[in-house]
Amino acid sequence: MWEKLKFKFSWVVIIVIIILITFISGAVTFYVKFRAEEKFSIDPTVKLDPNQVYQITYWDYPLFFGLEDDYQKFLEGAIKEFNKYYPNIEVNYKLLSFTEGETEVKNALAEGRGPDIYNDIFGTKFLSEKLQLPVSPFLNLEDETGAKELDEYDPLTLRALSTEEEIWGLPTWLAPQVWVGNKGLLAQTDLEINKVIKKGWSWEGFEKVSQELSGKDKVVIFNPYASELFYQLLIAAGKGRLVSSEGELILTEEELTEVLNFLERLRDNDSFPQEDRRMNEKLLQYFWEEQAAIIAPINLWLLNNLYHRELNEEVELTLLPPPSKFEKGVVPIKSRALLLFRQEEYQGDKHTKASYKLAQFLAQRKTLFLAERLNVIPAYLPLQEEWFSKVELKEEIKVQLLEYLNRGVSEEITSFARFNLERKAKKRIKEGYHSFWFEDEPISEIVTKMMSAVERNIAKDKKTEK
């Protein structure tokens, strides 16, 4: 009897142990999987299998409107050349619509089926905290001499793509954010253009020049719909970040008020055309008719339009940095990059490395094609000297662009969450900028509304985190 009981007890113990082992094993597997999702890692040293075919999807945009065929031929040629080095990496490319492309990418990522590589021409930078892949594991690899690929890219572009721990894109090109001036009209004032190019200029100096121009019936045109000008003034004054790494608002009412007061003084001094709310409609007309001496802000499309048309006009343009409340300001730099993603069902480190190899090839070997046609500067440092000799711009303009690059600034974004807060803050600032031009509200009320809206966004974000 006792022996039977001992026998049954032993089996019960064994069954309990098996159940415990199974439970613990499952728990460990779940924990490891959870941690892998939370702290996704890549082995950059993995070797590609020459006998395996890797299918890589690449989403891009055409160049400017009307150049779609040229860019498609370029892209197909680039992929063909890439396949000479990696015949087992098959690239399926797609050219997106300028108006709907970014939405298409975001929707695809939300469904876990985004592209392996995306050319982020709009500078969104961070599209999916879950599926976006850092490139820093590859950039930080050392070769046999101890050199890192990281050191071959302009640090301004890397900084713009960096959080505290990772770099989230492979830089392609960068461009100083400049204002455009009519060199002949500015020569009729006391402005020392070469000094401004090398050292910058203050708000006070800008106001003085605008008053001199006003006395000659010449104007300054600021696009009242393009709030980028407001951010450029903030950055030039040393305010590149609006939210701290802890998620606290570091933009102040005083800083917002100072920028709006600067714009108000220009308006009071008759620096703008009479119908300043509609002056964007006169921007190009007045510039080429030599009525507008300075126009801003200038996007890439408009700047290239100006470069091209200057060849057939008597007006000679010059590039100017945004003024600062200090005598010496910095120049905001806009940069672009190729972003890498994984799918919901991860296809492995070898697939990721195959994606990186294509992105690396495009960024390092093919960016010069874009830089020459868009008149931007390659982010890959070994290409910058070649760009200077090949790009079809006046020598003076090329020198100005590189000078501004030396004084350029781009701000590190500490995390995806902080980046989203920055975007929300900029949206509120855009509303305030619009109010300044169109609502006839006192600056104090505009600033109060802007600050309140931003603070509500931050409070809501903190509540969500809890």
Side-chain angles (χ1 to χ4, degrees), residues 387-404:
W387 168 85
F388 190 87
S389 64
K390 285 187 173 182
V391 70
E392 295 181 357
L393 289 173
K394 292 188 305 183
E395 190 86 358
E396 179 183 339
I397 294 294
K398 289 189 280 188
V399 170
Q400 289 178 358
L401 287 171
L402 292 180
E403 181 66 40
Y404 295 145

Side-chain angles (χ1 to χ4, degrees), residues 41 51 54 78 118 144 190 298 369 373 387 401 451 454:
S41 61
N51 298 314
Y54 301 94
Y118 169 61
E144 60 277 3
D190 292 333
I298 305 295
F369 174 89
R373 283 153 183 79
W387 168 85
L401 287 171
M451 290 294 292
V454 174

Side-chain angles (χ1 to χ4, degrees), residues 39-46 132-138 166 168 340-342 346 348-353 356:
K39 297 286 185 181
F40 191 84
S41 61
I42 303 166
D43 178 8
T45 63
V46 69
Q132 193 163 337
L133 293 172
V135 297
S136 24
F138 299 101
E166 303 283 8
W168 295 93
L340 273 64
F341 299 95
R342 64 184 175 96
Y346 186 51
D349 287 353
K350 291 182 181 180
H351 182 91
T352 296
K353 187 158 190 175
Y356 181 79

Side-chain angles (χ1 to χ4, degrees), residues 210-223:
S210 69
Q211 284 180 307
E212 290 183 67
L213 291 167
S214 178
K216 301 175 184 295
D217 294 323
K218 307 302 178 185
V219 296
V220 170
I221 291 185
F222 288 168
N223 187 342

Side-chain angles (χ1 to χ4, degrees), residues 167-231:
I167 299 169
W168 295 93
L170 201 59
T172 51
W173 54 261
L174 65 166
Q177 296 305 283
V178 294
W179 295 2
V180 169
N182 178 319
K183 193 174 181 181
L185 293 182
L186 292 173
Q188 298 174 28
T189 71
D190 292 333
L191 180 67
E192 298 178 64
I193 294 179
N194 290 333
K195 182 179 178 182
V196 167
I197 291 168
K198 292 183 179 299
K199 296 184 178 181
W201 51 343
S202 65
W203 289 348
E204 183 181 359
F206 187 91
E207 290 172 50
K208 182 176 180 294
V209 170
S210 69
Q211 284 180 307
E212 290 183 67
L213 291 167
S214 178
K216 301 175 184 295
D217 294 323
K218 307 302 178 185
V219 296
V220 170
I221 291 185
F222 288 168
N223 187 342
Y225 291 95
S227 58
E228 188 66 30
L229 182 141
F230 196 100
Y231 310 139

